[in-house]
Amino acid sequence: MVPSVSRNWRVLALSLAGLIAAVGAVFFLSLGGGSYDVGVQVSPPEEDSVGLEIATTGVVPENGALEILALPRAMGNQGQDLSNGAYFTYPVIFNLDVAAGEATVEVPGSSVRGAIPAQVTLGGSIGNYPFDTYSASLFASASTSSSSESVSFVLSEAGKAVSGFDIDGSRIGFLSGDESPLALQQDQEAGYGVIEWRISRSSSTQFIAILLAAIMVAGAVISLLMTWVIVRGSRPPSVAIMVWLAVFLFALFQIRRQLPGDPPAGIDLDRFIFYPVILTLILLVVVNLISWSTREDWDLENPASVPDPQVAHERVDRDA
């Protein structure tokens, strides 16, 4: 008896330790809801320059779009920065290579221009969720509205994180394609610039998705083991087990809806985990139903319902 009690305490201690470790992992990973890494930056000129400060506001893989907000900037004789835009002393034209939004923004002289919402094309596939990766880029330029002459143009990143995603943004040379300060400085003086983004799911999103997938698989394995014990005859089939299987089957769809980012149906996680688990549970429900409906000892009051009537009579006499 003592060894059995000691063993139970060890199992309880290990279970509690595992639970504490899991809760700790979830807590620390949840702190990383999203991040933004800023690449090489070039010091902006102190006088006579305009610019755009780009903030990422949303990642929409289903639509293949990266949502951005471009805040106009003006320095020196060109104007003055404001909280949500800039005041421009002289007319200027901004050109942006965007998939949706204003591609050409004309700003009159002696006027205020606020933020410019837009979308750029997002390259990548959501099929590999939660390990899907994406890329996007933006070209922008500035010129004077009178002669279309370029002005000193500063394209910068606001470094704004998007919940659920890790974003690595960097400026690259328009012609050279590298991140050298010299190439970026030349683009700045020529009046244009390019930003590239590399995007992936945050570690917290990946952890939660893996955890939910593990719950699906664990439920399927437990259901298989219970059914195997029943098929072997070690345990009798019962309505309670069929109810448990049915409840877990419907709970799977709720678990699927809890995936962060609400990915569409048909991702790899569905094809390799969610759909097979559903089919497995349906099969197990059918097997348990057949085992229960063909159970021969379901009614001990009826001697004909068991293989050995003598056993049934003895049980009935004992109960009486």
Side-chain angles (χ1 to χ4, degrees):
M1 183 63 66
V2 174
S4 177
V5 173
S6 177
R7 183 169 58 252
N8 291 338
W9 276 108
R10 285 199 299 268
V11 171
L12 179 60
L14 289 175
S15 301
L16 289 176
L19 178 61
I20 294 173
V23 171
V26 171
F27 173 76
F28 285 109
L29 286 172
S30 65
L31 299 178
S35 65
Y36 192 110
D37 293 330
V38 178
V40 177
Q41 297 294 312
V42 176
S43 299
E46 297 180 355
E47 297 181 355
D48 303 338
S49 66
V50 297
L52 290 173
E53 184 177 311
I54 309 299
T56 53
T57 58
V59 180
V60 191
E62 297 84 353
N63 299 333
L66 174 66
E67 298 175 345
I68 62 173
L69 198 64
L71 275 69
R73 295 302 183 204
M75 290 158 280
N77 294 333
Q78 291 291 338
Q80 177 65 42
D81 287 348
L82 303 175
S83 299
N84 302 300
Y87 171 82
F88 290 88
T89 306
Y90 304 104
V92 65
I93 298 177
F94 292 108
N95 296 290
L96 297 90
D97 176 29
V98 295
E102 296 181 79
T104 301
V105 180
E106 297 187 15
V107 183
S110 302
S111 65
V112 174
R113 174 67 202 202
I116 307 166
Q119 293 182 356
V120 296
T121 302
L122 190 67
S125 173
I126 198 173
N128 197 33
Y129 175 97
F131 304 106
D132 44 335
T133 58
Y134 305 93
S135 62
S137 63
L138 170 70
F139 171 85
S141 65
S143 60
T144 59
S145 60
S146 57
S147 60
S148 297
E149 294 181 355
S150 62
V151 295
S152 181
F153 175 63
V154 181
L155 184 64
S156 60
E157 304 165 72
K160 185 177 183 298
V162 176
S163 178
F165 292 91
D166 290 335
I167 302 177
D168 180 13
S170 60
R171 288 183 56 198
I172 63 171
F174 175 56
L175 299 177
S176 63
D178 59 42
E179 300 182 32
S180 66
L182 177 60
L184 300 183
Q185 191 68 45
Q186 291 174 345
D187 285 358
Q188 183 171 293
E189 295 172 356
Y192 49 73
V194 178
I195 294 180
E196 280 191 345
W197 293 280
R198 290 169 294 278
I199 304 167
S200 61
R201 301 278 176 177
S202 65
S203 57
S204 59
T205 297
Q206 293 176 350
F207 178 80
I208 294 173
I210 293 173
L211 181 62
L212 294 176
I215 292 174
M216 298 181 189
V217 174
V221 171
I222 293 173
S223 302
L224 274 170
L225 293 176
M226 289 192 307
T227 304
W228 175 246
V229 170
I230 292 172
V231 171
R232 292 185 58 188
S234 301
R235 291 290 185 275
S238 66
V239 175
I241 293 178
M242 289 190 293
V243 170
W244 188 91
L245 291 172
V247 169
F248 184 69
L249 177 61
F250 285 101
L252 278 176
F253 293 91
Q254 183 62 34
I255 295 173
R256 172 62 174 78
R257 282 193 289 268
Q258 298 306 312
L259 289 174
D262 192 20
I267 58 177
D268 288 348
L269 188 146
D270 288 334
R271 294 192 297 117
F272 296 116
I273 296 180
F274 182 58
Y275 297 154
V277 168
I278 288 178
L279 293 176
T280 300
L281 286 175
I282 292 175
L283 178 62
L284 294 180
V285 169
V286 173
V287 171
N288 278 272
L289 178 61
I290 294 175
S291 300
W292 176 78
S293 61
T294 58
R295 180 178 176 180
E296 296 179 341
D297 60 342
W298 66 277
D299 185 7
L300 295 180
E301 299 293 335
N302 181 8
S305 67
V306 295
D308 190 352
Q310 182 63 32
V311 174
H313 283 298
E314 292 177 356
R315 292 178 179 175
V316 172
D317 294 339
R318 185 176 64 250
D319 294 338

